[in-house]
Amino acid sequence: MQIIPFCDSLLEAAGELTWKVWNNEIPEIPVPFRPRLYRYLVRYYYMPESFLNFAAVEDSALCALLLAAPVRAVHSTDADRWIMEQLKSEEEREVFSAYKNYLDSNRAAEKKFAGPNDAVLLLFESVRKGAGRMLLQEFERNCHDQKIPGMILWTDETCDFDYYNRNGFTAVADFQSVPLFGKRFRTWLFRKNFQSNIP
């Protein structure tokens, strides 16, 4: 397995991986729309100028990704332009609007709790045992080298949130999300400090 910088050429494979991992995350999302929505999710979180985007590949196949950026990085609108061309019905436009509102709300919570020089872990997933840990280690090494003091992320009850408890993160907030398809998800913000974690 090899850790490489995540780049534009991996966007489609990352969208496929995200759809496969989270396909049943929210049953209210219409099944035919899910592949496009999860391809959007990768684009939403991908900031090409960030030096904190990584991928794990094995036999040329993507098996994990970690997208992150300094908290002060400006979010691109490229993903929104991309998805607008993919929306095929009023129902899809309504689903997309609700989902984007949910993402934007949780990103705003991250910024509220982050320090001014922190990094934000934006999207993190793995389908290969051990790949996630390798990506986190590479991410932390780069943060340490760039004097980034810590990082923050959000996760909710649809994900393996206990992963962060097991890997040295501390929950700094616990709240109910904005409504998404009539539900509020229990959501956590996790933080990890880097100052002396890496030699």
Side-chain angles (χ1 to χ4, degrees), residues 12-181:
E12 281 303 311
E16 282 288 312
L17 185 71
T18 303
W19 170 58
K20 287 176 183 173
V21 169
W22 288 334
N23 186 30
N24 297 313
E25 170 195 27
I26 302 173
E28 291 79 7
I29 298 173
V31 172
F33 185 41
R34 291 178 192 177
R36 282 172 283 145
L37 190 63
Y38 289 116
R39 284 164 59 206
Y40 165 79
L41 185 65
V42 174
R43 287 165 168 78
Y44 174 86
Y45 281 126
Y46 176 48
M47 297 188 187
E49 69 283 358
S50 174
F51 57 91
L52 296 172
N53 296 318
F54 302 102
V57 294
E58 189 169 48
D59 299 326
S60 300
L62 180 69
C63 53
L65 65 120
L66 185 155
L67 304 181
V71 70
R72 61 188 176 277
V74 177
H75 185 67
S76 171
T77 57
D78 290 348
D80 292 348
R81 284 194 295 273
W82 178 87
I83 192 78
M84 288 311 209
E85 297 173 0
Q86 308 291 322
L87 300 176
K88 297 179 178 176
S89 67
E90 184 59 35
E91 179 189 21
E92 287 186 355
R93 283 188 280 277
E94 289 175 5
V95 168
F96 167 67
S97 179
Y99 194 67
K100 185 175 186 319
N101 182 54
Y102 173 73
L103 296 177
D104 288 346
S105 174
N106 288 330
R107 287 203 69 209
E110 285 175 327
K111 290 186 177 184
K112 179 180 174 185
F113 281 85
N117 298 312
D118 281 346
V120 181
L121 196 158
L122 300 165
L123 184 62
F124 179 45
E125 61 194 0
S126 173
V127 294
R128 169 76 157 76
K129 188 170 177 59
R133 187 176 302 276
M134 289 175 66
L135 287 177
L136 273 177
Q137 288 171 346
E138 183 68 18
F139 169 63
E140 291 188 26
R141 271 194 291 275
N142 277 267
C143 286
H144 184 270
D145 291 347
Q146 296 296 320
K147 308 284 192 279
I148 293 173
M151 58 83 51
I152 197 159
L153 64 89
W154 73 266
T155 188
D156 67 26
E157 62 188 86
T158 68
C159 303
D160 179 16
F161 56 86
D162 197 46
Y163 176 90
Y164 300 104
N165 287 319
R166 298 189 307 267
N167 284 279
F169 292 77
T170 302
V172 294
D174 178 347
F175 57 94
Q176 295 295 313
S177 71
V178 297
L180 178 62
F181 312 129

